[in-house]
Amino acid sequence: MPLKRTLQLLLTTELSNREIALKVGVSKTTVGRYRRLTSAKSVMWPDVSELPPSVLRQRFNRDPNGNKTRRVPDFAMLQERIENGVPLQILWEDYRREDPHNTLSYSQLATRMRAYRRTKPGSMVLTHTAGHEAFVDYAGCKRIPLPTYTDPSTGEKIAVQLFVGVLPASSLIFAICSPSQQVPDFIRSHVDMLAYFGGVPLAVVCDNLKSAVIKPGRRPVLQRTYEEFSRHYAVAINPARIFSPKDKAMVEGAVKIVQNHIVVRLHDRVHHSLDDLNADLANLLEDLNNRRMLTYGKSRRERFEQLERGTLNPLPVEPFVYAKCTSILRVPKDYHVRVDHHAYSVPHALTGQRVDARITDDRVDIFRETERVASHARSFERGGHTTDPDHLTGDHRAWHDRTPDAMIAWAKRAGPNVHAFIKKQLGKSHPVAALPACEEIKALAEKHGTEAVNRAAGDAMDLNVLSVSTLRRMIRKHTDQPTKPAVRRSRYTQGSKAFAKMAQEAAC
């Protein structure tokens, strides 16, 4: 404290102003001013030796404000209103409106607010429970650019996004590069992260990017696919508070570590694809996790194996597959819904109702509320349609089956002889012209059974007779159903029976 030390030397020694200035580190002009003040006020060392520095400055230094008084606001109240979203400019205008002449200027108020914030505790030491949560974030630093790979065809450098996750209890870090921060890449990065950890924590703490949170706040609304991901892995999603990076300070630190120890090295190497970049990143990541930490005397991998691996929940049997979801407001009358320029059938009973489509790389699933009502292999034929015969009405199914291919498929199921007989029928003339005969054979199979028709078709093929009438006679032969001769009634017989009936009614 230069002031107190200066007063002590002035009042207890015979040193000159220059000598005191050299010892204390102040100017000799200042020492001369203090000597004049102590002489004028007859100050002795015992009078000031016990006084605190603030009182000494008040007695021996001039007020920098020129003894002007300024009304000081309640900084605690101002800070509370700032945290509730009120700008400091608005608070200063209200404060100045009350007393325009005795208030602090805006710059003075801002300076004192910054000084007030420095006196308040700003962070808290948190204890992280093993297996309780994982923190995720994307890297973004102007000082260190994002990783890139070179397109071999054009030579262009393509920037990618760096996804980072960390288990705070063991500090195990995961990192992977993805083309973007869009929902598909965001979800795939999470799936790869949990596979790398070999288990699932109870919760994932993420930022409020649109791929994760549609509506932030105290009751955040998660993005639909992200919510499906959380249900698949039975993990809770806890978005951090807005503008509160300290809520996920562990991953903020992990991002800096990855940038300083991995990204810097990646910039010195040439990669020709995203897969090459991620393969190189994976090797550097293993070196980072296996490196011994000075704080704990162990590596991140060792701490993970000892503390956290056994506390994670097991992974599900199948990993989560990203799916794009779309809604169809009304099923049209042909009960085929259009998804990505291709039409897929749904049960005809859903005509006029709302359904949702879930689209993966190889399948399209249609849901009515939460029930899956249709599932098709995904087709990329633009303008085409995919139909499940089970979805058709009775009339439409009959017409759907009235094709040469459908007849051959049915004949294969009916038996080898029926299959050969049908192929002969379709080969006699144009296949469409042979459809009526094929339908008649199918009707015989429904009436007498496929076994009887199959035996009869074999006999007909042995005789090299391909007519349907011959096949019908063969079936009657095998089923032992002799035909009854048709009774031809004469007009006289019919009239006699009618007359007899009238007579009997009259007698009654």
Side-chain angles (χ1 to χ4, degrees), residues 106-150:
Y106 178 76
S107 60
Q108 291 172 333
L109 180 62
T111 301
R112 295 202 181 189
M113 280 301 303
R114 287 193 293 270
Y116 172 77
R117 292 192 187 102
R118 287 194 292 270
T119 64
K120 298 299 177 183
S123 60
M124 175 183 176
V125 178
L126 297 177
T127 301
H128 298 286
T129 305
H132 187 266
E133 56 194 356
F135 295 88
V136 298
D137 198 7
Y138 279 101
C141 178
K142 296 181 180 179
R143 182 177 59 87
I144 302 177
L146 290 171
T148 60
Y149 69 91
T150 304

mmCIF file of all heavy atoms in Angstrom, residues 106-150:
data_model
loop_
_atom_site.group_PDB
_atom_site.id
_atom_site.type_symbol
_atom_site.label_atom_id
_atom_site.label_comp_id
_atom_site.label_asym_id
_atom_site.label_seq_id
_atom_site.Cartn_x
_atom_site.Cartn_y
_atom_site.Cartn_z
ATOM 1 N N TYR A 106 -24.164 6.812 -18.548
ATOM 2 C CA TYR A 106 -24.346 5.412 -18.959
ATOM 3 C C TYR A 106 -23.034 4.648 -18.865
ATOM 4 O O TYR A 106 -23.007 3.502 -18.394
ATOM 5 C CB TYR A 106 -24.891 5.353 -20.384
ATOM 6 C CG TYR A 106 -25.060 3.941 -20.882
ATOM 7 C CD1 TYR A 106 -26.130 3.155 -20.457
ATOM 8 C CD2 TYR A 106 -24.132 3.378 -21.757
ATOM 9 C CE1 TYR A 106 -26.279 1.847 -20.882
ATOM 10 C CE2 TYR A 106 -24.268 2.071 -22.191
ATOM 11 C CZ TYR A 106 -25.348 1.315 -21.753
ATOM 12 O OH TYR A 106 -25.480 0.018 -22.180
ATOM 13 N N SER A 107 -21.938 5.240 -19.302
ATOM 14 C CA SER A 107 -20.650 4.549 -19.244
ATOM 15 C C SER A 107 -20.227 4.290 -17.799
ATOM 16 O O SER A 107 -19.680 3.222 -17.485
ATOM 17 C CB SER A 107 -19.587 5.361 -19.968
ATOM 18 O OG SER A 107 -19.442 6.642 -19.370
ATOM 19 N N GLN A 108 -20.494 5.274 -16.891
ATOM 20 C CA GLN A 108 -20.168 5.065 -15.479
ATOM 21 C C GLN A 108 -21.013 3.931 -14.880
ATOM 22 O O GLN A 108 -20.512 3.099 -14.115
ATOM 23 C CB GLN A 108 -20.391 6.358 -14.698
ATOM 24 C CG GLN A 108 -19.397 7.459 -15.022
ATOM 25 C CD GLN A 108 -19.768 8.779 -14.363
ATOM 26 O OE1 GLN A 108 -20.946 9.046 -14.081
ATOM 27 N NE2 GLN A 108 -18.773 9.627 -14.121
ATOM 28 N N LEU A 109 -22.309 3.900 -15.242
ATOM 29 C CA LEU A 109 -23.177 2.848 -14.727
ATOM 30 C C LEU A 109 -22.729 1.477 -15.246
ATOM 31 O O LEU A 109 -22.697 0.492 -14.490
ATOM 32 C CB LEU A 109 -24.622 3.123 -15.142
ATOM 33 C CG LEU A 109 -25.669 2.105 -14.675
ATOM 34 C CD1 LEU A 109 -25.726 2.069 -13.150
ATOM 35 C CD2 LEU A 109 -27.040 2.426 -15.247
ATOM 36 N N ALA A 110 -22.353 1.402 -16.526
ATOM 37 C CA ALA A 110 -21.898 0.128 -17.084
ATOM 38 C C ALA A 110 -20.611 -0.329 -16.405
ATOM 39 O O ALA A 110 -20.435 -1.519 -16.111
ATOM 40 C CB ALA A 110 -21.684 0.272 -18.588
ATOM 41 N N THR A 111 -19.698 0.615 -16.140
ATOM 42 C CA THR A 111 -18.447 0.264 -15.472
ATOM 43 C C THR A 111 -18.701 -0.263 -14.067
ATOM 44 O O THR A 111 -18.105 -1.265 -13.643
ATOM 45 C CB THR A 111 -17.531 1.493 -15.405
ATOM 46 O OG1 THR A 111 -17.279 1.950 -16.739
ATOM 47 C CG2 THR A 111 -16.212 1.167 -14.720
ATOM 48 N N ARG A 112 -19.585 0.395 -13.338
ATOM 49 C CA ARG A 112 -19.880 -0.050 -11.973
ATOM 50 C C ARG A 112 -20.651 -1.381 -11.978
ATOM 51 O O ARG A 112 -20.483 -2.189 -11.049
ATOM 52 C CB ARG A 112 -20.682 1.024 -11.232
ATOM 53 C CG ARG A 112 -19.903 2.318 -11.025
ATOM 54 C CD ARG A 112 -20.450 3.137 -9.888
ATOM 55 N NE ARG A 112 -19.715 4.374 -9.712
ATOM 56 C CZ ARG A 112 -19.888 5.195 -8.674
ATOM 57 N NH1 ARG A 112 -20.782 4.902 -7.740
ATOM 58 N NH2 ARG A 112 -19.188 6.315 -8.578
ATOM 59 N N MET A 113 -21.476 -1.618 -13.016
ATOM 60 C CA MET A 113 -22.162 -2.900 -13.098
ATOM 61 C C MET A 113 -21.166 -4.034 -13.336
ATOM 62 O O MET A 113 -21.285 -5.114 -12.756
ATOM 63 C CB MET A 113 -23.193 -2.875 -14.237
ATOM 64 C CG MET A 113 -24.501 -2.184 -13.895
ATOM 65 S SD MET A 113 -25.369 -2.948 -12.489
ATOM 66 C CE MET A 113 -25.560 -4.626 -13.057
ATOM 67 N N ARG A 114 -20.164 -3.787 -14.185
ATOM 68 C CA ARG A 114 -19.143 -4.803 -14.410
ATOM 69 C C ARG A 114 -18.358 -5.079 -13.129
ATOM 70 O O ARG A 114 -18.050 -6.238 -12.812
ATOM 71 C CB ARG A 114 -18.197 -4.362 -15.524
ATOM 72 C CG ARG A 114 -18.811 -4.427 -16.911
ATOM 73 C CD ARG A 114 -17.758 -4.284 -17.975
ATOM 74 N NE ARG A 114 -17.166 -2.960 -17.978
ATOM 75 C CZ ARG A 114 -17.609 -1.935 -18.684
ATOM 76 N NH1 ARG A 114 -18.678 -2.085 -19.466
ATOM 77 N NH2 ARG A 114 -17.010 -0.765 -18.643
ATOM 78 N N ALA A 115 -18.061 -4.018 -12.381
ATOM 79 C CA ALA A 115 -17.350 -4.200 -11.111
ATOM 80 C C ALA A 115 -18.214 -4.964 -10.110
ATOM 81 O O ALA A 115 -17.711 -5.796 -9.341
ATOM 82 C CB ALA A 115 -16.944 -2.847 -10.540
ATOM 83 N N TYR A 116 -19.528 -4.706 -10.127
ATOM 84 C CA TYR A 116 -20.428 -5.411 -9.219
ATOM 85 C C TYR A 116 -20.492 -6.896 -9.566
ATOM 86 O O TYR A 116 -20.483 -7.750 -8.669
ATOM 87 C CB TYR A 116 -21.825 -4.783 -9.297
ATOM 88 C CG TYR A 116 -22.882 -5.560 -8.551
ATOM 89 C CD1 TYR A 116 -22.984 -5.495 -7.165
ATOM 90 C CD2 TYR A 116 -23.775 -6.390 -9.239
ATOM 91 C CE1 TYR A 116 -23.948 -6.218 -6.481
ATOM 92 C CE2 TYR A 116 -24.736 -7.114 -8.563
ATOM 93 C CZ TYR A 116 -24.820 -7.018 -7.182
ATOM 94 O OH TYR A 116 -25.776 -7.744 -6.509
ATOM 95 N N ARG A 117 -20.526 -7.212 -10.870
ATOM 96 C CA ARG A 117 -20.601 -8.624 -11.272
ATOM 97 C C ARG A 117 -19.355 -9.379 -10.852
ATOM 98 O O ARG A 117 -19.419 -10.574 -10.553
ATOM 99 C CB ARG A 117 -20.803 -8.719 -12.779
ATOM 100 C CG ARG A 117 -22.156 -8.218 -13.266
ATOM 101 C CD ARG A 117 -22.385 -8.609 -14.709
ATOM 102 N NE ARG A 117 -23.593 -7.989 -15.244
ATOM 103 C CZ ARG A 117 -23.609 -6.936 -16.042
ATOM 104 N NH1 ARG A 117 -22.460 -6.361 -16.398
ATOM 105 N NH2 ARG A 117 -24.746 -6.438 -16.485
ATOM 106 N N ARG A 118 -18.204 -8.689 -10.850
ATOM 107 C CA ARG A 118 -16.969 -9.363 -10.454
ATOM 108 C C ARG A 118 -16.958 -9.737 -8.977
ATOM 109 O O ARG A 118 -16.198 -10.613 -8.556
ATOM 110 C CB ARG A 118 -15.763 -8.480 -10.777
ATOM 111 C CG ARG A 118 -15.435 -8.400 -12.248
ATOM 112 C CD ARG A 118 -14.065 -7.803 -12.464
ATOM 113 N NE ARG A 118 -13.999 -6.395 -12.095
ATOM 114 C CZ ARG A 118 -14.236 -5.386 -12.910
ATOM 115 N NH1 ARG A 118 -14.539 -5.624 -14.188
ATOM 116 N NH2 ARG A 118 -14.156 -4.143 -12.495
ATOM 117 N N THR A 119 -17.809 -9.104 -8.191
ATOM 118 C CA THR A 119 -17.870 -9.423 -6.764
ATOM 119 C C THR A 119 -18.811 -10.583 -6.465
ATOM 120 O O THR A 119 -18.884 -11.026 -5.316
ATOM 121 C CB THR A 119 -18.328 -8.197 -5.961
ATOM 122 O OG1 THR A 119 -19.673 -7.845 -6.334
ATOM 123 C CG2 THR A 119 -17.418 -7.010 -6.209
ATOM 124 N N LYS A 120 -19.548 -11.077 -7.485
ATOM 125 C CA LYS A 120 -20.524 -12.137 -7.276
ATOM 126 C C LYS A 120 -19.969 -13.469 -7.763
ATOM 127 O O LYS A 120 -19.251 -13.521 -8.764
ATOM 128 C CB LYS A 120 -21.834 -11.828 -8.016
ATOM 129 C CG LYS A 120 -22.516 -10.557 -7.522
ATOM 130 C CD LYS A 120 -22.878 -10.688 -6.059
ATOM 131 C CE LYS A 120 -23.493 -9.418 -5.506
ATOM 132 N NZ LYS A 120 -23.764 -9.532 -4.061
ATOM 133 N N PRO A 121 -20.284 -14.573 -7.067
ATOM 134 C CA PRO A 121 -19.825 -15.889 -7.536
ATOM 135 C C PRO A 121 -20.465 -16.212 -8.875
ATOM 136 O O PRO A 121 -21.672 -16.066 -9.063
ATOM 137 C CB PRO A 121 -20.287 -16.844 -6.429
ATOM 138 C CG PRO A 121 -21.400 -16.118 -5.740
ATOM 139 C CD PRO A 121 -21.077 -14.660 -5.826
ATOM 140 N N GLY A 122 -19.654 -16.682 -9.834
ATOM 141 C CA GLY A 122 -20.156 -16.912 -11.176
ATOM 142 C C GLY A 122 -20.210 -18.363 -11.586
ATOM 143 O O GLY A 122 -20.810 -18.694 -12.608
ATOM 144 N N SER A 123 -19.579 -19.242 -10.864
ATOM 145 C CA SER A 123 -19.573 -20.640 -11.266
ATOM 146 C C SER A 123 -19.651 -21.529 -10.037
ATOM 147 O O SER A 123 -19.386 -21.088 -8.921
ATOM 148 C CB SER A 123 -18.304 -20.965 -12.075
ATOM 149 O OG SER A 123 -17.150 -20.720 -11.288
ATOM 150 N N MET A 124 -19.991 -22.770 -10.294
ATOM 151 C CA MET A 124 -20.187 -23.738 -9.220
ATOM 152 C C MET A 124 -19.450 -25.020 -9.574
ATOM 153 O O MET A 124 -19.435 -25.450 -10.735
ATOM 154 C CB MET A 124 -21.681 -24.019 -9.036
ATOM 155 C CG MET A 124 -22.009 -25.102 -8.036
ATOM 156 S SD MET A 124 -23.790 -25.407 -7.971
ATOM 157 C CE MET A 124 -23.859 -26.765 -6.836
ATOM 158 N N VAL A 125 -18.823 -25.610 -8.604
ATOM 159 C CA VAL A 125 -18.141 -26.877 -8.811
ATOM 160 C C VAL A 125 -19.187 -27.992 -8.759
ATOM 161 O O VAL A 125 -19.864 -28.179 -7.747
ATOM 162 C CB VAL A 125 -17.049 -27.099 -7.747
ATOM 163 C CG1 VAL A 125 -16.393 -28.457 -7.954
ATOM 164 C CG2 VAL A 125 -16.010 -25.990 -7.816
ATOM 165 N N LEU A 126 -19.329 -28.729 -9.885
ATOM 166 C CA LEU A 126 -20.324 -29.786 -9.980
ATOM 167 C C LEU A 126 -19.671 -31.152 -9.828
ATOM 168 O O LEU A 126 -18.547 -31.370 -10.283
ATOM 169 C CB LEU A 126 -21.044 -29.716 -11.326
ATOM 170 C CG LEU A 126 -21.855 -28.445 -11.600
ATOM 171 C CD1 LEU A 126 -22.438 -28.501 -13.002
ATOM 172 C CD2 LEU A 126 -22.959 -28.282 -10.576
ATOM 173 N N THR A 127 -20.383 -32.063 -9.207
ATOM 174 C CA THR A 127 -19.937 -33.441 -9.087
ATOM 175 C C THR A 127 -20.733 -34.285 -10.068
ATOM 176 O O THR A 127 -21.970 -34.356 -9.991
ATOM 177 C CB THR A 127 -20.142 -33.959 -7.658
ATOM 178 O OG1 THR A 127 -19.412 -33.129 -6.743
ATOM 179 C CG2 THR A 127 -19.658 -35.389 -7.540
ATOM 180 N N HIS A 128 -20.052 -34.896 -11.006
ATOM 181 C CA HIS A 128 -20.715 -35.679 -12.048
ATOM 182 C C HIS A 128 -20.742 -37.155 -11.655
ATOM 183 O O HIS A 128 -19.715 -37.743 -11.326
ATOM 184 C CB HIS A 128 -19.991 -35.506 -13.378
ATOM 185 C CG HIS A 128 -20.001 -34.095 -13.876
ATOM 186 N ND1 HIS A 128 -21.120 -33.502 -14.418
ATOM 187 C CD2 HIS A 128 -19.024 -33.155 -13.900
ATOM 188 C CE1 HIS A 128 -20.837 -32.274 -14.773
ATOM 189 N NE2 HIS A 128 -19.569 -32.031 -14.477
ATOM 190 N N THR A 129 -21.928 -37.728 -11.686
ATOM 191 C CA THR A 129 -22.111 -39.148 -11.358
ATOM 192 C C THR A 129 -21.830 -40.000 -12.579
ATOM 193 O O THR A 129 -22.262 -39.674 -13.695
ATOM 194 C CB THR A 129 -23.544 -39.391 -10.865
ATOM 195 O OG1 THR A 129 -23.823 -38.505 -9.770
ATOM 196 C CG2 THR A 129 -23.715 -40.826 -10.410
ATOM 197 N N ALA A 130 -21.126 -41.090 -12.379
ATOM 198 C CA ALA A 130 -20.769 -41.975 -13.491
ATOM 199 C C ALA A 130 -22.018 -42.542 -14.147
ATOM 200 O O ALA A 130 -22.932 -43.014 -13.475
ATOM 201 C CB ALA A 130 -19.876 -43.107 -12.987
ATOM 202 N N GLY A 131 -22.063 -42.475 -15.474
ATOM 203 C CA GLY A 131 -23.177 -43.019 -16.230
ATOM 204 C C GLY A 131 -24.432 -42.196 -16.211
ATOM 205 O O GLY A 131 -25.451 -42.621 -16.749
ATOM 206 N N HIS A 132 -24.370 -41.016 -15.608
ATOM 207 C CA HIS A 132 -25.593 -40.223 -15.462
ATOM 208 C C HIS A 132 -25.926 -39.433 -16.715
ATOM 209 O O HIS A 132 -27.092 -39.361 -17.122
ATOM 210 C CB HIS A 132 -25.462 -39.284 -14.265
ATOM 211 C CG HIS A 132 -26.721 -38.561 -13.927
ATOM 212 N ND1 HIS A 132 -27.012 -37.298 -14.406
ATOM 213 C CD2 HIS A 132 -27.794 -38.932 -13.189
ATOM 214 C CE1 HIS A 132 -28.200 -36.920 -13.964
ATOM 215 N NE2 HIS A 132 -28.699 -37.891 -13.230
ATOM 216 N N GLU A 133 -24.899 -38.821 -17.352
ATOM 217 C CA GLU A 133 -25.198 -37.975 -18.495
ATOM 218 C C GLU A 133 -23.997 -37.887 -19.422
ATOM 219 O O GLU A 133 -22.861 -38.195 -19.030
ATOM 220 C CB GLU A 133 -25.603 -36.564 -18.041
ATOM 221 C CG GLU A 133 -24.573 -35.889 -17.156
ATOM 222 C CD GLU A 133 -25.110 -34.662 -16.456
ATOM 223 O OE1 GLU A 133 -26.266 -34.296 -16.733
ATOM 224 O OE2 GLU A 133 -24.373 -34.063 -15.657
ATOM 225 N N ALA A 134 -24.283 -37.481 -20.657
ATOM 226 C CA ALA A 134 -23.258 -37.186 -21.652
ATOM 227 C C ALA A 134 -23.553 -35.802 -22.215
ATOM 228 O O ALA A 134 -24.721 -35.425 -22.367
ATOM 229 C CB ALA A 134 -23.250 -38.231 -22.765
ATOM 230 N N PHE A 135 -22.500 -35.044 -22.524
ATOM 231 C CA PHE A 135 -22.633 -33.705 -23.072
ATOM 232 C C PHE A 135 -22.214 -33.735 -24.539
ATOM 233 O O PHE A 135 -21.214 -34.381 -24.888
ATOM 234 C CB PHE A 135 -21.770 -32.706 -22.310
ATOM 235 C CG PHE A 135 -22.186 -32.504 -20.881
ATOM 236 C CD1 PHE A 135 -21.689 -33.306 -19.871
ATOM 237 C CD2 PHE A 135 -23.078 -31.506 -20.546
ATOM 238 C CE1 PHE A 135 -22.070 -33.126 -18.552
ATOM 239 C CE2 PHE A 135 -23.471 -31.311 -19.230
ATOM 240 C CZ PHE A 135 -22.973 -32.126 -18.237
ATOM 241 N N VAL A 136 -22.957 -33.032 -25.396
ATOM 242 C CA VAL A 136 -22.648 -33.002 -26.827
ATOM 243 C C VAL A 136 -22.667 -31.555 -27.308
ATOM 244 O O VAL A 136 -23.397 -30.711 -26.782
ATOM 245 C CB VAL A 136 -23.644 -33.845 -27.647
ATOM 246 C CG1 VAL A 136 -23.581 -35.301 -27.241
ATOM 247 C CG2 VAL A 136 -25.072 -33.329 -27.495
ATOM 248 N N ASP A 137 -21.844 -31.284 -28.335
ATOM 249 C CA ASP A 137 -21.784 -29.939 -28.905
ATOM 250 C C ASP A 137 -21.027 -30.015 -30.227
ATOM 251 O O ASP A 137 -20.317 -30.990 -30.501
ATOM 252 C CB ASP A 137 -21.097 -28.969 -27.952
ATOM 253 C CG ASP A 137 -21.387 -27.511 -28.293
ATOM 254 O OD1 ASP A 137 -22.229 -27.271 -29.180
ATOM 255 O OD2 ASP A 137 -20.777 -26.619 -27.682
ATOM 256 N N TYR A 138 -21.176 -28.972 -31.030
ATOM 257 C CA TYR A 138 -20.405 -28.823 -32.256
ATOM 258 C C TYR A 138 -19.274 -27.831 -32.030
ATOM 259 O O TYR A 138 -19.438 -26.846 -31.297
ATOM 260 C CB TYR A 138 -21.283 -28.340 -33.407
ATOM 261 C CG TYR A 138 -22.071 -29.432 -34.070
ATOM 262 C CD1 TYR A 138 -23.421 -29.615 -33.778
ATOM 263 C CD2 TYR A 138 -21.478 -30.281 -34.994
ATOM 264 C CE1 TYR A 138 -24.153 -30.622 -34.388
ATOM 265 C CE2 TYR A 138 -22.198 -31.288 -35.608
ATOM 266 C CZ TYR A 138 -23.529 -31.447 -35.302
ATOM 267 O OH TYR A 138 -24.263 -32.459 -35.906
ATOM 268 N N ALA A 139 -18.142 -28.085 -32.664
ATOM 269 C CA ALA A 139 -16.991 -27.196 -32.537
ATOM 270 C C ALA A 139 -17.197 -25.981 -33.428
ATOM 271 O O ALA A 139 -17.753 -26.069 -34.519
ATOM 272 C CB ALA A 139 -15.705 -27.922 -32.930
ATOM 273 N N GLY A 140 -16.723 -24.849 -32.941
ATOM 274 C CA GLY A 140 -16.775 -23.625 -33.718
ATOM 275 C C GLY A 140 -15.829 -22.600 -33.121
ATOM 276 O O GLY A 140 -16.083 -22.077 -32.039
ATOM 277 N N CYS A 141 -14.703 -22.353 -33.790
ATOM 278 C CA CYS A 141 -13.688 -21.447 -33.252
ATOM 279 C C CYS A 141 -13.057 -20.707 -34.418
ATOM 280 O O CYS A 141 -12.571 -21.329 -35.379
ATOM 281 C CB CYS A 141 -12.632 -22.222 -32.465
ATOM 282 S SG CYS A 141 -11.304 -21.194 -31.807
ATOM 283 N N LYS A 142 -13.065 -19.373 -34.371
ATOM 284 C CA LYS A 142 -12.463 -18.588 -35.437
ATOM 285 C C LYS A 142 -10.945 -18.758 -35.475
ATOM 286 O O LYS A 142 -10.326 -18.653 -36.526
ATOM 287 C CB LYS A 142 -12.822 -17.112 -35.264
ATOM 288 C CG LYS A 142 -14.316 -16.825 -35.395
ATOM 289 C CD LYS A 142 -14.608 -15.342 -35.237
ATOM 290 C CE LYS A 142 -16.105 -15.071 -35.384
ATOM 291 N NZ LYS A 142 -16.419 -13.637 -35.210
ATOM 292 N N ARG A 143 -10.361 -19.017 -34.319
ATOM 293 C CA ARG A 143 -8.899 -19.142 -34.265
ATOM 294 C C ARG A 143 -8.438 -20.407 -34.967
ATOM 295 O O ARG A 143 -7.395 -20.411 -35.635
ATOM 296 C CB ARG A 143 -8.449 -19.145 -32.795
ATOM 297 C CG ARG A 143 -6.947 -19.226 -32.600
ATOM 298 C CD ARG A 143 -6.605 -19.137 -31.121
ATOM 299 N NE ARG A 143 -7.235 -20.198 -30.349
ATOM 300 C CZ ARG A 143 -6.687 -21.406 -30.186
ATOM 301 N NH1 ARG A 143 -5.539 -21.706 -30.752
ATOM 302 N NH2 ARG A 143 -7.303 -22.320 -29.455
ATOM 303 N N ILE A 144 -9.200 -21.501 -34.835
ATOM 304 C CA ILE A 144 -8.838 -22.768 -35.457
ATOM 305 C C ILE A 144 -9.961 -23.139 -36.424
ATOM 306 O O ILE A 144 -11.065 -23.461 -35.998
ATOM 307 C CB ILE A 144 -8.649 -23.879 -34.406
ATOM 308 C CG1 ILE A 144 -7.570 -23.460 -33.399
ATOM 309 C CG2 ILE A 144 -8.289 -25.194 -35.074
ATOM 310 C CD1 ILE A 144 -7.369 -24.459 -32.289
ATOM 311 N N PRO A 145 -9.724 -23.107 -37.731
ATOM 312 C CA PRO A 145 -10.785 -23.428 -38.698
ATOM 313 C C PRO A 145 -11.242 -24.876 -38.561
ATOM 314 O O PRO A 145 -10.557 -25.731 -38.009
ATOM 315 C CB PRO A 145 -10.110 -23.187 -40.055
ATOM 316 C CG PRO A 145 -8.915 -22.349 -39.764
ATOM 317 C CD PRO A 145 -8.476 -22.707 -38.372
ATOM 318 N N LEU A 146 -12.435 -25.142 -39.095
ATOM 319 C CA LEU A 146 -12.990 -26.491 -39.060
ATOM 320 C C LEU A 146 -12.190 -27.421 -39.975
ATOM 321 O O LEU A 146 -11.523 -26.970 -40.913
ATOM 322 C CB LEU A 146 -14.449 -26.454 -39.511
ATOM 323 C CG LEU A 146 -15.436 -25.787 -38.551
ATOM 324 C CD1 LEU A 146 -16.796 -25.633 -39.203
ATOM 325 C CD2 LEU A 146 -15.562 -26.570 -37.257
ATOM 326 N N PRO A 147 -12.244 -28.731 -39.726
ATOM 327 C CA PRO A 147 -11.528 -29.676 -40.597
ATOM 328 C C PRO A 147 -12.074 -29.632 -42.025
ATOM 329 O O PRO A 147 -13.230 -29.284 -42.271
ATOM 330 C CB PRO A 147 -11.785 -31.033 -39.940
ATOM 331 C CG PRO A 147 -12.195 -30.725 -38.541
ATOM 332 C CD PRO A 147 -12.881 -29.413 -38.588
ATOM 333 N N THR A 148 -11.223 -30.018 -42.976
ATOM 334 C CA THR A 148 -11.601 -30.049 -44.384
ATOM 335 C C THR A 148 -11.039 -31.306 -45.041
ATOM 336 O O THR A 148 -10.102 -31.924 -44.522
ATOM 337 C CB THR A 148 -11.072 -28.824 -45.141
ATOM 338 O OG1 THR A 148 -9.637 -28.799 -45.050
ATOM 339 C CG2 THR A 148 -11.641 -27.538 -44.572
ATOM 340 N N TYR A 149 -11.631 -31.685 -46.167
ATOM 341 C CA TYR A 149 -11.047 -32.717 -47.022
ATOM 342 C C TYR A 149 -11.101 -32.211 -48.460
ATOM 343 O O TYR A 149 -11.893 -31.320 -48.796
ATOM 344 C CB TYR A 149 -11.768 -34.058 -46.873
ATOM 345 C CG TYR A 149 -13.171 -34.095 -47.412
ATOM 346 C CD1 TYR A 149 -13.436 -34.469 -48.729
ATOM 347 C CD2 TYR A 149 -14.259 -33.771 -46.600
ATOM 348 C CE1 TYR A 149 -14.718 -34.515 -49.227
ATOM 349 C CE2 TYR A 149 -15.548 -33.811 -47.086
ATOM 350 C CZ TYR A 149 -15.767 -34.189 -48.399
ATOM 351 O OH TYR A 149 -17.053 -34.230 -48.890
ATOM 352 N N THR A 150 -10.262 -32.760 -49.305
ATOM 353 C CA THR A 150 -10.108 -32.293 -50.675
ATOM 354 C C THR A 150 -10.869 -33.193 -51.626
ATOM 355 O O THR A 150 -10.694 -34.421 -51.614
ATOM 356 C CB THR A 150 -8.627 -32.267 -51.072
ATOM 357 O OG1 THR A 150 -7.909 -31.455 -50.144
ATOM 358 C CG2 THR A 150 -8.453 -31.695 -52.471
#
